[in-house]
Amino acid sequence: MAVLPVLEYPDPRLRKVAEPVTEFTDALQATIDDMLDTMYDENGVGLAATQVDFHYRIVVMDFSEERDDPIVFVNPEFEVLDEEPNEFQEGCLSVPGYYEHIYRAAKVKVKALDRYGKAFEMETDELMAVCVQHEIDHLDGKLMVDYLSPLKRNRIKTKLLKAQKQRA
């Protein structure tokens, strides 16, 4: 297992729409394990495969205090169950250091396959509902900054590009 580099906004690879997973191979299992290692190393609660430059429809999450209860969503889809929007302060491993208030559906039903290809569905609300929507956005090439004003989005982009140049 390995910690993978996380792509940072405005990297154009973050805009690539992920492909559905059709085969559950040993290589896929290794990638899922690497994604979990990366999420834990970065202190995230969720990570989409797109964020680590793997363009397949996979999301990993873990909301447990002990960080030992991962959930893997392969080919996830969600249906809004509560139209009332909730405002949450979201962060993103691909937009490091920024937390913004974003409105998302308060409750969703997720349909997905687990890491071995078995179908499941679950209803979620609060933080998990926000995270599901946020991570599936990544699989569709959409980022949390897309919910912000163009001015705010450009400020974040400028600051992140400057920080990236300083690290290089």
Side-chain angles (χ1 to χ4, degrees):
M1 294 191 281
V3 173
L4 305 169
V6 176
L7 300 177
E8 289 184 13
Y9 177 72
D11 192 310
R13 293 173 290 180
L14 289 167
R15 299 299 186 175
K16 187 172 180 182
V17 176
E19 298 290 326
V21 172
T22 57
E23 295 182 36
F24 291 80
T25 63
D26 289 343
L28 179 74
Q29 300 306 317
T31 298
I32 290 169
D33 289 337
D34 291 347
M35 288 176 62
L36 287 164
D37 285 347
T38 302
M39 178 185 69
Y40 293 135
D41 186 69
E42 295 283 337
N43 294 313
V45 294
L47 181 73
T50 302
Q51 294 178 272
V52 291
D53 204 20
F54 187 71
H55 301 282
Y56 288 90
R57 298 190 75 79
I58 304 167
V59 167
V60 296
M61 294 182 198
D62 191 338
F63 297 94
S64 67
E65 296 250 345
E66 298 79 23
R67 313 292 283 154
D68 63 353
D69 191 21
I71 305 169
V72 177
F73 299 89
V74 177
N75 300 335
E77 300 174 353
F78 72 89
E79 170 189 343
V80 173
L81 297 177
D82 184 348
E83 293 289 336
E84 185 69 30
N86 268 357
E87 180 183 20
F88 274 89
Q89 189 175 35
E90 289 187 28
C92 180
L93 299 178
S94 292
V95 188
Y98 290 90
Y99 298 88
E100 300 293 336
H101 291 274
I102 310 285
Y103 287 92
R104 303 266 189 188
K107 188 173 184 180
V108 299
K109 178 163 65 171
V110 187
K111 294 179 183 180
L113 303 175
D114 70 10
R115 68 183 296 159
Y116 304 108
K118 183 179 176 196
F120 71 97
E121 58 183 63
M122 62 193 307
E123 291 185 10
T124 67
D125 59 8
E126 301 296 325
L127 178 60
M128 189 172 187
V130 168
C131 195
V132 163
Q133 293 169 81
H134 176 108
E135 300 305 340
I136 291 175
D137 271 356
H138 276 297
L139 300 179
D140 294 331
K142 190 170 185 179
L143 301 169
M144 69 176 238
V145 295
D146 297 338
Y147 293 92
L148 305 176
S149 71
L151 177 64
K152 196 171 225 180
R153 185 172 43 248
N154 196 42
R155 276 192 196 140
I156 291 172
K157 179 180 177 180
T158 300
K159 288 179 182 179
L160 286 175
L161 284 171
K162 183 178 179 182
Q164 291 165 17
K165 284 181 185 176
Q166 288 176 342
R167 286 193 308 259

